[in-house]
Amino acid sequence: MTQFEVYSDERLENTSGENLLLLGGIVCSQARRDIVQEKLCRVRMKHGLARELKWGKISKRYLPGYREWLDCFFDDPHARFTCLVVDRKSGAWNRFCRSPQGARSKRSSSVFCQFLWDTLRPIGDDVRWTVYHDKGFFRRPTLLKQLEFIINRTSHEKLETRVVRRVRYSEERDSKNCDLIQLADVILGCLSCDLTVAPSSEARREIFEHFKLRLDCVPQTRSGKPKLAGYPWVPPDEYSNNRRQMARDLNRNKSTRRWPLPPRP
């Protein structure tokens, strides 16, 4: 049975009047994980990149290294990226935050659960997953394990999948020790610019332009799936885990399956 993995991170964007939360991650099979990881290691050695690579640390000195870091993702014919965008200035978000479901202790779990569903469902119901997210998003480490249980129970009971444990394993990881989460951080930085304004830093602007150029050249994976899929957050009561409703939602909202997201009303 094919096993897929998600290496995800989050980003808060509070510039140009926006207040966005982005959750995004690299999606690949275990075999592709090893291939992409090996390429990232080569980039580190070639450019002397010993420290953590992050969007906020991009400088002129390491521009070639950061370009090749992004190229490791775009050059792989199978790796994908999914992103959930939460507009925290919207009326829907404010109403959600005031509801029992939107209590501070539950908010991150609810949003991450929707991100996982949007990431998992285009691949197929009978695939096993491993999920790694950067440390710090959840207030308690046990929350990610609770989400693992919810996803598995819902998949097996409501979606009637043959796989009892769809998410085989989940874990928070320190991004300092995970190149794929660092890659997700850089991609999220580029996406935040695409949703707001170009960065003031000249070095980050150059990386952002390189990212847009590569995405235009590689819009799809070899199997025809979007290289980068974006989904707008919706309140939990509008988000159904029913298989038939999911299919209708995907067909109705095909424009949200590719980047960029459609303009907000």
Side-chain angles (χ1 to χ4, degrees):
M1 180 178 290
T2 304
Q3 307 240 6
F4 278 81
E5 299 181 341
V6 183
Y7 293 84
S8 57
D9 200 1
E10 79 280 348
R11 180 174 182 81
L12 289 172
E13 191 61 58
N14 291 298
T15 59
S16 66
E18 299 284 1
N19 188 354
L20 304 176
L21 167 64
L22 282 72
L23 282 172
I26 307 290
V27 179
C28 58
S29 67
Q30 288 182 333
R32 302 312 300 183
R33 179 270 317 273
D34 292 338
I35 294 171
V36 175
Q37 179 64 59
E38 183 179 351
K39 291 179 179 179
L40 293 173
C41 288
R42 287 192 204 135
V43 171
R44 279 193 179 278
M45 295 179 63
K46 177 180 177 181
H47 297 279
L49 300 169
R51 296 182 179 179
E52 183 179 15
L53 275 73
K54 293 179 68 70
W55 174 254
K57 294 183 178 181
I58 296 175
S59 64
K60 276 283 189 181
R61 177 182 178 185
Y62 294 112
L63 270 178
Y66 274 91
R67 286 196 195 97
E68 291 187 32
W69 194 254
L70 283 176
D71 289 340
C72 291
F73 169 70
F74 285 108
D75 289 344
D76 189 274
H78 300 287
R80 302 173 58 244
F81 194 91
T82 63
C83 182
L84 178 73
V85 181
V86 184
D87 180 3
R88 303 202 304 174
K89 291 181 68 177
S90 68
W93 176 256
N94 289 327
R95 288 189 295 274
F96 168 66
C97 291
R98 292 194 296 267
S99 70
Q101 289 177 305
R104 186 177 179 184
S105 59
K106 301 179 180 179
R107 206 175 300 159
S108 57
S109 299
S110 176
V111 172
F112 194 81
C113 197
Q114 190 171 139
F115 162 70
L116 274 187
W117 276 119
D118 284 337
T119 300
L120 271 54
R121 66 186 184 184
I123 301 294
D125 293 339
D126 297 322
V127 173
R128 285 189 176 178
W129 291 82
T130 303
V131 178
Y132 300 105
H133 191 76
D134 190 20
K135 282 186 175 180
F137 182 67
F138 299 101
R139 299 183 71 187
R140 291 184 287 112
T142 55
L143 286 177
L144 186 55
K145 284 295 181 183
Q146 291 174 14
L147 291 184
E148 176 186 325
F149 173 78
I150 292 170
I151 293 282
N152 288 334
R153 183 182 63 183
T154 304
S155 294
H156 187 57
E157 293 180 357
K158 294 187 178 181
L159 300 185
E160 301 176 354
T161 59
R162 294 192 300 271
V163 178
V164 177
R165 295 187 63 211
R166 193 176 186 190
V167 178
R168 184 182 62 86
Y169 182 75
S170 62
E171 178 185 79
E172 287 188 283
R173 282 195 172 179
D174 189 341
S175 60
K176 293 183 178 64
N177 304 315
C178 183
D179 283 346
L180 284 164
I181 293 180
Q182 293 176 42
L183 177 58
D185 176 274
V186 176
I187 293 176
L188 281 174
C190 294
L191 296 182
S192 69
C193 295
D194 207 30
L195 291 170
T196 55
V197 295
S200 56
S201 161
E202 184 179 346
R204 285 196 285 273
R205 276 201 308 274
E206 289 192 32
I207 293 299
F208 175 47
E209 292 301 324
H210 180 72
F211 171 83
K212 290 196 297 182
L213 179 63
R214 290 307 314 268
L215 185 57
D216 287 341
C217 295
V218 190
Q220 293 183 333
T221 65
R222 185 171 291 172
S223 63
K225 292 183 175 63
K227 189 73 173 175
L228 199 162
Y231 302 89
W233 173 85
V234 297
D237 58 355
E238 297 178 19
Y239 194 94
S240 171
N241 289 330
N242 176 271
R243 177 195 293 269
R244 193 173 299 169
Q245 183 63 41
M246 279 182 172
R248 286 201 297 265
D249 291 344
L250 282 175
N251 290 331
R252 186 172 64 249
N253 298 318
K254 284 183 178 178
S255 61
T256 68
R257 299 178 67 186
R258 296 177 183 274
W259 199 267
L261 291 171
R264 293 190 298 277

